[in-house]
Amino acid sequence: MSLVEEKKAKEQHKGKKRKEGKNIHTAGPAREAGNRLMSRERLPLIGSSRTTERSTHQRPPEGGNRKRARPSLNAVFQDRMAPWEGSSHSDSFFTSIPPPPPAPPPPPAPPPPISSTDPPPPPPQPIRDTQPESGKSAPVKRKILPPRWPPKPPRLPPLRQATFSCLDKMGDHSLHSLYDTTGPYQALAVDEAQLDVLGQQREKQCRSVWQKLKAELRCSGPRVKSCFLSGVPLLSWLPHYPFKENAFGDLISGISVGIMHLPQGMANAILANVPPVFGLYSSFYPILIYFIFGTSKHISVGTFSILAIMVGIVINDMEFADDRAERNENDAEMDRVILAAQLTILCGLIQILLCVLRCGGVCRWLSRPLVSGYTTAAAVHVTVHQLPLLMGISTHTHRGFLAMAWTFMDVLYHVTGASPGTLVVSSVSMAILAGGKILNSRLKGRLPMPIPWELLLVILAIVLSEQLDLPGRYGVQTVGTIPTGLSAPALPTLSLSKELLLPSLALAVVGFGLNASLGTMYALKHGYRFHSNQELLALGVCNAVGGLFQCFAVSCSMSRSMVQESTGGKTQVSALVSALLILAVLLKFGPLFEKLPKAVLAVIVLVNLQGIFAQIKDVPKLWATDRLDLLVWSVSLLSALLLNLDVGLGAAVVFSLFTVVFRTQRPRFAVLGVIPGSDCYRDVRVYMKVKQVPGVTVFSCSNPLYFANTDLYFRSLREAVKTGLKENPTVSPPGQQGAVSQHCVILELSGVCFMDSTSIIVLRTVVEEFEARQISLFLAACPDYLFSQMKDHDLVPDCLARCCFFPSVHHAVQHWQQIQTWTR
């Protein structure tokens, strides 16, 4: 083989090996779990193959044809581990900048001319790499130069730069300690000013009254549609009514509740001192209106004994313009109906006004002990007023102070004239209805629906009254004439609106309070929302429109609501079924109830009050848990019994609010210490192992600060500081006493929801006093609203800097300890 052929063969062999090495090495590194790591399977291939690629970090050859050097494994990693292919690796891969591309090598110099006298050149030899005698390739060290333009760290926003500069001044703590969860003492002691920077506190946007009013009155198409649908909820849920799932349950529930409406409506009409047929009207019109505007799916709106007795008392107390002795019974009844209609319309208008003013939370003023005591007193009123009907006697009407007591004395005085027939009817009816209620409670889980004992008793009483002629032979009082058809709407004259304003306000508040408490309970139980303002609107429209049809004030009933839920009622469609049943009675079956004895209706009212009288069982529980609530219960009961229901409600609310002042005027103070091994601070008088931090007095308060308790609070604070200076001094090295403040006071304000101007002025005086005595004062866990109050009164930053506020007691203690360390 000639030299030329041998040279060509070696060059082909060399190019083939170089091509194989290049194909093997061109694969990129593997990426696992977000990190750029080289696959282990490719490491031997990279280390054993040749590559013609040159790292971007290597300078190009300066001249001549230099021999290509094989890169080492480290160079390959440096090349392949760059953030982007071909760019340099730096600390921040977000700012890595690739170096400029290498310059092309210069062309080789031409060979010199060959003369005839010169010896012939030696034959060309193939280019060989320098290899040791063992045949293994020697590693070639490769010099990696740094990038020409070193990358800069990322530029932070000005706010974050201020944050880190603030944190850099805090000694040996770093930013990473903010996220360190290795122990309770590893947290960074930051104050509220630093937290505002870290959390990037939003600027408070203050709108004027005109801007708020403009936003509320803004009118647009979607807003009008939303307001209309929220004001009339029927249009929202009725098109999506699940007929197959809820129709049967609503039908059964509506029939069951409608049967209860009939006797209860007539009985409550007697309590309201109006003819029984107006009780049926009050059980029909308001139900239809609530079906359109109401939001609760389980309460039964209609006549209620508490409101009925309140209406009856107001009617009895009012003086008519004409002399009662000169008028017949029909005129007196119509006057009472007109007066009840006026009272109901005023009650509805007040409820609508409260809805417009967004006063759906007005029922929150009625605490549970207040409502319990008040309704118990109302039940006593109802019982006393039903006694004449149970005995068949007549009594005088009493008004004013102790009216119920005088009525009861009158009943006892005329008890000897009780009708034997009425007493027998009352006793038998009481036994049947009470026994039936007990049977229903014991068979509650076995019966598909409660047995309607009220309806069965009414049917039995009508049959026996007709067959035995109870009114004629035994003198039993009956319901009387019940006209068929519906009453025509009529607007009564509001001539007595001034006299009826206070009673109508009491009716509005009590009626909505009962509705809200019961509706909220069922809403939480079944997982839907109870709209308090919409319920105010619904009740207001029920009473205002119902008053036009000679109805009296309505609300929800506990007994009917329980039956509606237990019989499978799911939506307001059950109220529509009940209204249709009452409509059928008013149009066709009204005269059948004319022979019904009034004693039976009185028994129905009394037996349905058993749930209200059961509230007396709460007295022992209140005695054991909260005697101040027991006092509220007792005052509500006595005020309603002695001052009647309207004035008694106002007195009970005033006394209930007075108890709130009484609770807060003597706040609970505590000096806190740290539990060893934790960052929790507790009362040193309650916990045995709690120790105070040396030189620190942590004073906690759990009540708002205002004029009634300001003196007591700051007097207790001064006493605690005085005791802390003596018993809990700062441990300082010798020779450094007096150099800095030797005591720290931390006010824990998490339980202080507000401070009035009096308490803030006194706090300013205390701050100046502590500053004169070289006592440091920090405020921990201060609510944002309380800080705004201090800022509005120029307490911050005139007397207290923003850095004196800390998110917790532990942060304040750490800050104090850091100050002590730095000053030493």
Side-chain angles (χ1 to χ4, degrees):
M1 181 182 295
S2 63
L3 293 175
V4 177
E5 292 176 353
E6 183 180 3
K7 179 179 179 181
K8 289 182 179 181
K10 290 183 178 181
E11 287 179 355
Q12 291 178 359
H13 180 69
K14 179 179 178 182
K16 183 178 179 180
K17 291 182 64 178
R18 187 178 303 161
K19 185 176 181 181
E20 291 176 357
K22 183 176 181 180
N23 292 337
I24 293 173
H25 188 61
T26 51
R31 295 176 176 87
E32 297 180 2
N35 298 325
R36 298 175 178 266
L37 301 178
M38 183 64 65
S39 176
R40 292 186 176 181
E41 289 80 6
R42 293 175 183 151
L43 292 179
L45 299 178
I46 294 174
S48 60
S49 62
R50 297 183 180 182
T51 176
T52 58
E53 297 179 359
R54 180 168 57 245
S55 172
T56 56
H57 290 228
Q58 184 178 2
R59 289 181 182 270
E62 295 180 355
N65 292 328
R66 287 194 174 185
K67 187 184 298 183
R68 296 182 182 272
R70 180 169 51 212
S72 64
L73 183 62
N74 187 21
V76 173
F77 267 100
Q78 292 288 341
D79 190 15
R80 292 298 184 183
M81 289 296 291
W84 297 287
E85 295 297 334
S87 61
S88 61
H89 181 68
S90 63
D91 292 336
S92 178
F93 60 87
F94 293 104
T95 55
S96 298
I97 302 175
I114 302 174
S115 61
S116 59
T117 59
D118 294 336
Q125 300 292 332
I127 301 175
R128 299 176 181 269
D129 292 336
T130 304
Q131 295 182 356
E133 297 179 357
S134 59
K136 297 181 181 179
S137 61
V140 179
K141 292 186 178 181
R142 180 180 174 193
K143 186 176 181 181
I144 305 299
L145 298 179
R148 297 188 179 183
W149 298 282
K152 298 180 180 180
R155 182 175 180 82
L156 298 174
L159 182 60
R160 191 172 298 179
Q161 286 184 354
T163 302
F164 283 94
S165 63
C166 177
L167 293 175
D168 289 339
K169 298 178 181 179
M170 304 191 66
D172 53 356
H173 290 283
S174 64
L175 180 64
H176 299 285
S177 60
L178 282 173
Y179 310 100
D180 191 4
T181 59
T182 57
Y185 295 103
Q186 300 298 325
L188 192 61
V190 293
D191 54 32
E192 290 288 351
Q194 296 164 352
L195 283 181
D196 291 346
V197 180
L198 284 174
Q200 300 186 9
Q201 184 182 19
R202 294 186 177 95
E203 295 183 359
K204 185 178 180 181
Q205 298 180 356
C206 298
R207 295 189 303 172
S208 62
V209 178
W210 171 249
Q211 291 176 343
K212 295 179 181 179
L213 186 61
K214 185 178 179 181
E216 287 291 332
L217 300 179
R218 180 176 57 87
C219 183
S220 62
R223 185 179 178 87
V224 171
K225 180 180 178 181
S226 176
C227 292
F228 183 74
L229 292 179
S230 62
V232 187
L234 177 69
L235 301 178
S236 300
W237 63 265
L238 188 59
H240 308 285
Y241 177 74
F243 187 83
K244 294 182 179 180
E245 291 81 1
N246 298 341
F248 181 75
D250 288 337
L251 178 63
I252 299 300
S253 176
I255 294 175
S256 303
V257 175
I259 291 173
M260 294 181 65
H261 269 292
L262 299 175
Q264 289 185 6
M266 292 186 290
N268 291 327
I270 295 176
L271 286 178
N273 207 5
V274 295
V277 67
F278 292 96
L280 296 180
Y281 295 155
S282 301
S283 300
F284 171 67
Y285 293 105
I287 295 178
L288 285 179
I289 298 172
Y290 189 82
F291 169 72
I292 299 173
F293 295 96
T295 60
S296 180
K297 303 177 182 179
H298 295 89
I299 63 174
S300 174
V301 173
T303 61
F304 187 49
S305 57
I306 302 296
L307 299 185
I309 192 60
M310 293 177 66
V311 173
I313 290 175
V314 173
I315 292 176
N316 291 333
D317 290 345
M318 295 300 297
E319 294 287 345
F320 294 99
D322 299 333
D323 189 5
R324 293 184 178 231
E326 298 179 358
R327 296 179 302 159
N328 56 23
E329 184 64 24
N330 293 331
D331 294 339
E333 286 184 354
M334 290 307 300
D335 289 338
R336 292 194 292 270
V337 170
I338 294 174
L339 186 60
Q342 293 183 34
L343 184 63
T344 304
I345 291 176
L346 287 177
C347 174
L349 293 178
I350 290 175
Q351 289 174 336
I352 294 176
L353 179 62
L354 292 176
C355 173
V356 173
L357 298 177
R358 305 290 179 87
C359 297
V362 69
C363 61
R364 299 170 187 169
W365 295 358
L366 307 178
S367 62
R368 184 181 180 88
L370 186 148
V371 173
S372 178
Y374 181 79
T375 52
T376 304
V380 175
H381 273 278
V382 172
T383 302
V384 172
H385 284 81
Q386 294 300 306
L387 291 178
L389 295 178
L390 292 175
M391 299 179 182
I393 59 178
S394 59
T395 57
H396 300 286
T397 301
H398 300 277
R399 308 177 185 88
F401 183 69
L402 295 177
M404 193 204 65
W406 290 113
T407 302
F408 183 70
M409 295 296 295
D410 200 4
V411 170
L412 294 180
Y413 181 77
H414 293 89
V415 71
T416 55
S419 172
T422 304
L423 289 175
V424 172
V425 172
S426 301
S427 302
V428 174
S429 301
M430 183 74 71
I432 294 175
L433 190 56
K437 293 288 184 180
I438 295 174
L439 184 62
N440 277 348
S441 62
R442 293 189 176 182
L443 300 178
K444 183 177 180 179
R446 302 178 184 178
L447 297 175
M449 58 177 291
I451 300 175
W453 291 102
E454 289 90 350
L455 181 61
L456 297 179
L457 179 61
V458 167
I459 295 175
L460 180 62
I462 292 174
V463 172
L464 293 178
S465 177
E466 181 71 25
Q467 296 297 326
L468 301 178
D469 192 15
L470 297 179
R473 297 175 59 181
Y474 302 100
V476 178
Q477 298 179 4
T478 58
V479 171
T481 304
I482 296 181
T484 57
L486 301 176
S487 60
L491 180 62
T493 59
L494 302 177
S495 57
L496 300 176
S497 57
K498 293 183 179 180
E499 292 82 358
L500 296 176
L501 184 60
L502 183 60
S504 59
L505 178 61
L507 278 173
V509 174
V510 173
F512 176 67
L514 296 172
N515 184 281
S517 59
L518 205 60
T520 303
M521 181 186 71
Y522 284 118
L524 294 176
K525 183 178 180 180
H526 295 278
Y528 59 89
R529 184 181 176 187
F530 180 82
H531 302 268
S532 57
N533 282 313
Q534 181 62 29
E535 285 297 309
L536 261 177
L537 176 64
L539 276 183
V541 176
C542 287
N543 287 319
V545 177
L548 300 177
F549 292 91
Q550 292 83 44
C551 301
F552 54 88
V554 297
S555 184
C556 64
S557 171
M558 297 181 185
S559 59
R560 293 196 305 268
S561 299
M562 292 175 62
V563 171
Q564 180 170 334
E565 183 204 18
S566 61
T567 53
K570 300 294 181 59
T571 62
Q572 295 92 320
V573 174
S574 58
L576 178 62
V577 176
S578 301
L580 294 178
L581 181 61
I582 298 171
L583 178 63
V585 173
L586 287 172
L587 295 179
K588 296 294 181 180
F589 307 106
L592 297 178
F593 294 92
E594 293 180 355
K595 296 295 182 177
L596 178 64
K598 291 184 177 180
V600 176
L601 298 178
V603 168
I604 293 174
V605 170
L606 291 181
V607 172
N608 285 309
L609 291 177
Q610 60 179 347
I612 298 178
F613 282 115
Q615 297 177 140
I616 300 177
K617 297 179 181 179
D618 296 339
V619 173
K621 184 177 180 180
L622 292 175
W623 174 265
T625 56
D626 195 336
R627 297 184 182 181
L628 198 57
D629 280 345
L630 177 60
L631 186 60
V632 172
W633 189 93
S634 304
V635 170
S636 302
L637 176 69
L638 294 177
S639 62
L641 291 178
L642 301 179
L643 304 175
N644 290 335
L645 295 178
D646 48 358
V647 181
L649 177 63
V653 171
V654 171
F655 183 80
S656 178
L657 296 178
F658 176 75
T659 59
V660 177
V661 179
F662 180 77
R663 290 177 188 270
T664 56
Q665 73 173 355
R666 297 186 61 86
R668 298 179 182 271
F669 310 127
V671 176
L672 306 183
V674 64
I675 298 177
S678 70
D679 58 351
C680 300
Y681 292 78
R682 294 295 183 265
D683 191 352
V684 295
R685 296 173 299 179
V686 178
Y687 293 85
M688 297 173 56
K689 293 188 177 181
V690 167
K691 303 296 181 183
Q692 286 188 258
V693 180
V696 178
T697 299
V698 182
F699 195 74
S700 175
C701 178
S702 58
N703 292 92
L705 298 179
Y706 61 104
F707 61 91
N709 59 7
T710 298
D711 294 337
L712 181 60
Y713 174 79
F714 287 102
R715 191 187 319 124
S716 302
L717 174 61
R718 291 187 179 96
E719 293 176 358
V721 173
K722 183 179 179 181
T723 305
L725 288 173
K726 294 180 180 180
E727 302 178 358
N728 187 34
T730 304
V731 180
S732 301
Q736 293 188 4
Q737 287 81 3
V740 293
S741 175
Q742 295 298 315
H743 200 79
C744 175
V745 178
I746 301 175
L747 301 183
E748 202 275 330
L749 302 177
S750 61
V752 181
C753 56
F754 75 93
M755 295 175 65
D756 65 347
S757 58
T758 303
S759 60
I760 292 180
I761 292 174
V762 179
L763 178 59
R764 180 191 295 269
T765 305
V766 171
V767 171
E768 296 173 353
E769 175 186 344
F770 285 174
E771 185 178 358
R773 298 171 58 185
Q774 293 186 351
I775 297 176
S776 300
L777 179 64
F778 297 149
L779 277 66
C782 180
D784 293 337
Y785 178 73
L786 185 59
F787 178 78
S788 300
Q789 284 185 309
M790 296 181 182
K791 195 173 181 180
D792 294 339
H793 286 80
D794 295 331
L795 183 63
V796 179
D798 292 350
C799 293
L800 287 173
R802 187 71 171 99
C803 59
C804 294
F805 292 80
F806 293 88
S808 67
V809 175
H810 190 62
H811 285 82
V813 171
Q814 281 188 316
H815 182 73
W816 166 255
Q817 292 175 346
Q818 290 174 2
I819 293 176
Q820 296 296 309
T821 304
W822 295 340
T823 55
R824 293 171 187 173

